[in-house]
Amino acid sequence: MRKILVVEDEDAIREVIALNLRMAGYDVAEAASAERALELLGAEQDGFDVALLDVMLPGMNGFSLCETIRRDSAEVGIIILSAKTQEKDKINGLSIGADDYITKPFSVSELLARVEALCRRVTRQATEKQGESRLVSGQFVLDQKSRVLYKNGQPIDLTQVEFQIMELFFQNPGVALVRDKILEGVWGKNYYGDVKIVDVNIRRLRMKIEDEPSSPAHIATVWGYGYRWKP
């Protein structure tokens, strides 16, 4: 059974989210603070598949919690829940390692769809880890077992979303991929969110793999269309 951690300080909202997730067949743990969430994350031996993080928490806020979780694990899926609707807030959340960002108010069906999509990615990642496959593209090697990207033999840690984008690039070298194709390939056909989530993750990838992120040599922008991978 997939395990979900719901971190929300408003009892009524947290209980409704948890109830609907349990009705959908998930094993759910609840936390009213970031500090409690970290305790649960540390105590759960098998780990959580997905963590839902409210931004406005007492003490440590959701953004800081996201950063803390991501420093320890690239595997757990993270969805930020927030009433902050400004573009800069969404970009901030995605830039620090969240896989998705949902603005309040949201429907139960939207939340369940996004959790399910993220759980599928987590499951696919775990399945691929059992193999020995390595994808090679120029000076880069993508190890599908360790989920690590190597550049000239040096490891680069990626989040699961970043890793899946790189898989898509490696499988389509030199091909201009429209943003919608990247969105569908990584987030799924029924993703509710904005296509700009692709741009945020591309920006983050460039910071990790390019010698000069402002003048990328490998992830090229195809203006008005999408991106192309150049080994």
Side-chain angles (χ1 to χ4, degrees), residues 55-56 63 82-86 89-90 101 103-104:
V55 170
M56 303 302 291
F63 289 140
S82 177
K84 294 177 177 289
T85 60
Q86 293 186 9
D89 294 312
K90 294 181 182 179
Y101 190 110
T103 55
K104 298 176 180 179

Side-chain angles (χ1 to χ4, degrees), residues 38 41 48-51 53 62-80 93-100 118 121-122 125 157-162 201 204 208:
L38 292 173
L41 285 162
F48 289 94
D49 295 288
V50 172
L53 313 180
F63 289 140
S64 296
L65 176 58
C66 176
E67 289 183 294
T68 301
I69 294 173
R70 193 53 81 213
R71 278 197 300 268
D72 294 334
S73 173
E75 298 179 359
V76 60
I78 298 176
I79 299 177
I80 287 181
L94 296 170
S95 297
I96 60 177
D99 298 289
D100 206 348
L118 190 49
R121 295 206 297 276
V122 171
Q125 170 182 311
D157 289 330
L158 304 178
T159 67
Q160 58 183 310
V161 166
E162 292 165 351
N201 279 279
R204 196 165 59 193
K208 292 185 177 184

Side-chain angles (χ1 to χ4, degrees), residues 14 32 35 81 92 122 130-131 134 157 168 173 179 182-184 187 189 215 217 224:
R14 187 182 66 254
E35 291 75 16
L81 311 176
N92 180 41
V122 171
Q130 298 172 6
R134 303 182 101 196
D157 289 330
L168 199 59
R179 286 176 175 82
I182 298 174
L183 190 72
E184 180 180 322
W187 283 269
K189 290 184 178 181
S215 182

